[in-house]
Amino acid sequence: ARSGKYEYLAEKKFPKHKDDSHSRLALPIKRNEQQVLGVITIKSKYKNFFTPDDIQLLQSLAASAAVIIDQFKLVNHLQEISRMAQEASTEAQIINYVVAAARDLTHAEVIFWGPSTMEGEGDKWMRIKGYSGRFNAAFMENPKVPNDPKQDALAVALKTGETIIYP
């Protein structure tokens, strides 16, 4: 189950267990093909107990569990952001929490960009307001991108409000 693939184990020999189970099924709870959130194990005292229909039904249950776990995490993050806003947290604290929540939900590097507040840059540049992950040191020395949709896709997202996906 660690590989994220479903494996029927009824025909394989198990190490000696302290119970009387003969058939076991291990179903990964997968966020995507690369990330396994957990594993559900099901056992029976009967050999070859699990039918293909059982496996398909339980795979559906495992897939649903992954969605529910992610939704639960998202709801908790949204509630925390709402709580922070009600308690008059600073913009920087909210941005840092949003970055941390995005990292928690995706397990990817995250940067929160916003219009520059640096003297002389006006609204021509975007600067990093918060980040989580490892980034190129040279990039982080002067992290800014032009706020021009003709020059950068980040600016397109900022100006149009549309989601931009890099291939």
Side-chain angles (χ1 to χ4, degrees), residues 91-146:
E91 179 184 23
Q93 288 173 316
I94 293 171
I95 287 171
N96 286 334
Y97 185 81
V98 168
V99 167
R103 177 134 176 143
D104 179 52
L105 292 168
T106 64
H107 298 280
E109 282 77 25
V110 178
I111 298 177
F112 189 111
W113 295 90
S116 177
T117 56
M118 303 268 300
E119 182 83 25
E121 289 187 353
D123 63 354
K124 294 181 181 181
W125 295 94
M126 288 189 291
R127 291 225 174 238
I128 292 177
K129 304 292 183 178
Y131 72 94
S132 179
R134 296 205 264 158
F135 297 93
N136 179 302
F139 169 75
M140 294 305 285
E141 285 178 17
N142 190 23
K144 66 179 183 178
V145 296

Side-chain angles (χ1 to χ4, degrees), residues 48-91:
N48 301 316
F49 179 77
F50 302 105
T51 68
D53 287 343
D54 292 335
I55 295 168
Q56 186 176 11
L57 178 68
L58 293 166
Q59 287 173 337
S60 295
L61 175 66
S64 295
V67 170
I68 292 167
I69 289 167
D70 276 346
Q71 286 177 346
F72 178 78
K73 288 174 92 174
L74 177 61
V75 166
N76 283 341
H77 286 305
L78 294 173
Q79 287 172 342
E80 179 63 14
I81 291 168
S82 177
R83 184 196 63 76
M84 290 174 80
Q86 289 174 0
E87 292 178 2
S89 295
T90 67
E91 179 184 23

Side-chain angles (χ1 to χ4, degrees), residues 29-47:
I29 309 298
K30 301 188 304 182
R31 169 176 282 139
N32 54 44
E33 289 303 314
Q34 290 82 33
Q35 188 177 11
V36 178
L37 302 174
V39 177
I40 297 172
T41 59
I42 303 166
K43 61 184 182 174
S44 171
K45 63 182 178 178
Y46 302 105
K47 285 189 174 195

